Amino acid sequence: MAAHNGGQTWKVGEVSRLTGLTVRTLHHYEHVGVLVPSARTESGHRLYNCTDVQRLYQVVALRDLGLDLGTVATVLAGELDITVVLGEHLDHVERRLTALMSLRSRLAALLAATRSAGTPGPIELLALTEEVIRMEETTKRYFSPEQLAALETRREQVGEQLVTEVQAEWPRLIAEVRTELDAGTPAASPRVQALAKRWMELLEAFHGGDPGLRDSLYRMQAENSEEIRQQYGGPTPELIAYVQEAVEAS
């Protein structure tokens, strides 16, 4: 950290260390134009000032909302009203929170009643069932009863522990792929190729090589990508395209 022209500045390595962002990511932000350092040292090292730090926060915050870098650039250029973006996202989050809090309240009340009085009553179970069914309706629109039965059979065969491990791996894998995309890493690079290979392995663990299951899965993701991303942390279309590019380049 240093003073430059009367103001506080940070080199790219310092910004990386303080924020947890990689230097490659910061370089990529500069390359695509969303965050260009305001100054450089005589030897050419990047210097970020307080205004740059504020803009970096805006970039990170907008990315956290799920916006791709192109949309982030549009927002920061003033071509898209940030209040509209924030308002729409807030509305969606509040709807999701309302649904989750409703389900949480029902589960908590039902658990308390079960602990004190034994088996829950039919009215409580019917209400809880309705909450759960609403979350399953999307799945049932895309998978036939035979496919759902096949999925359940496979789940029993592999065991709950493996299912849990795969479910826990997806968020980490999505985050790693997003980091490489943000950093501008070519899809043909060995690092992205390895991530894409694991991505396809996890998908195959779901559909088991069955073309029908695979096509249903892809169609559900394509037609509900935003809802899946917001509610379950699924990948954006941008990430999926990046993985597909890596697969095609392998």
Side-chain angles (χ1 to χ4, degrees):
M1 184 171 59
H4 183 77
N5 293 333
Q8 198 172 35
T9 59
W10 297 262
K11 292 181 179 179
V12 65
E14 294 173 321
V15 174
S16 173
R17 177 174 56 82
L18 292 169
T19 63
L21 294 169
T22 66
V23 171
R24 286 191 304 108
T25 296
L26 293 167
H27 286 177
H28 184 59
Y29 286 172
E30 178 181 359
H31 176 71
V32 299
V34 297
L35 179 66
V36 179
S38 297
R40 288 181 180 266
T41 65
E42 292 182 359
S43 57
H45 295 293
R46 296 166 176 80
L47 290 176
Y48 296 82
N49 62 19
C50 292
T51 300
D52 297 331
V53 170
Q54 293 174 4
R55 186 177 177 90
L56 175 58
Y57 169 76
Q58 292 177 310
V59 172
V60 171
L62 290 169
R63 289 291 286 147
D64 192 54
L65 296 182
L67 302 183
D68 59 56
L69 287 175
T71 304
V72 169
T74 301
V75 171
L76 294 180
E79 299 171 18
L80 182 62
D81 190 346
I82 184 61
T83 59
V84 174
V85 176
L86 293 175
E88 290 179 352
H89 185 75
L90 178 61
D91 288 344
H92 180 85
V93 170
E94 287 182 340
R95 287 194 298 271
R96 181 59 183 159
L97 282 174
T98 298
L100 288 174
M101 289 303 294
S102 174
L103 182 56
R104 180 186 182 279
S105 296
R106 289 185 186 276
L107 285 170
L110 192 55
L111 178 60
T114 302
R115 284 172 173 168
S116 63
T119 305
I123 300 300
E124 291 82 3
L125 287 177
L126 285 172
L128 182 61
T129 301
E130 189 270 338
E131 294 270 4
V132 174
I133 286 176
R134 281 197 289 124
M135 293 187 175
E136 295 178 345
E137 285 178 349
T138 298
T139 301
K140 290 182 178 179
R141 287 203 305 270
Y142 292 91
F143 297 96
S144 69
E146 292 76 17
Q147 289 176 324
L148 292 174
L151 289 173
E152 184 60 32
T153 298
R154 186 176 301 117
R155 186 185 186 101
E156 294 173 356
Q157 290 173 342
V158 301
E160 287 299 324
Q161 181 176 350
L162 181 58
V163 171
T164 301
E165 290 174 356
V166 169
Q167 290 174 339
E169 185 176 356
W170 266 117
R172 296 195 298 269
L173 182 59
I174 290 172
E176 289 179 28
V177 173
R178 177 173 167 177
T179 295
E180 298 299 338
L181 176 62
D182 282 352
T185 307
S189 74
R191 186 166 50 250
V192 179
Q193 294 276 299
L195 292 173
K197 181 176 182 292
R198 183 55 182 160
W199 185 293
M200 300 309 293
E201 287 173 348
L202 291 185
L203 287 179
E204 187 166 352
F206 174 84
H207 58 68
D210 184 308
L213 280 173
R214 182 193 60 216
D215 293 345
S216 294
L217 174 65
Y218 288 178
R219 185 162 58 90
M220 182 177 70
Q221 167 64 41
E223 296 178 4
N224 301 273
S225 60
E226 180 61 17
E227 180 180 359
I228 292 172
R229 185 187 65 78
Q230 292 283 0
Q231 295 186 5
Y232 306 107
T236 64
E238 182 185 23
L239 284 183
I240 294 174
Y242 185 53
V243 170
Q244 289 175 338
E245 182 183 355
V247 171
E248 292 169 0
S250 63

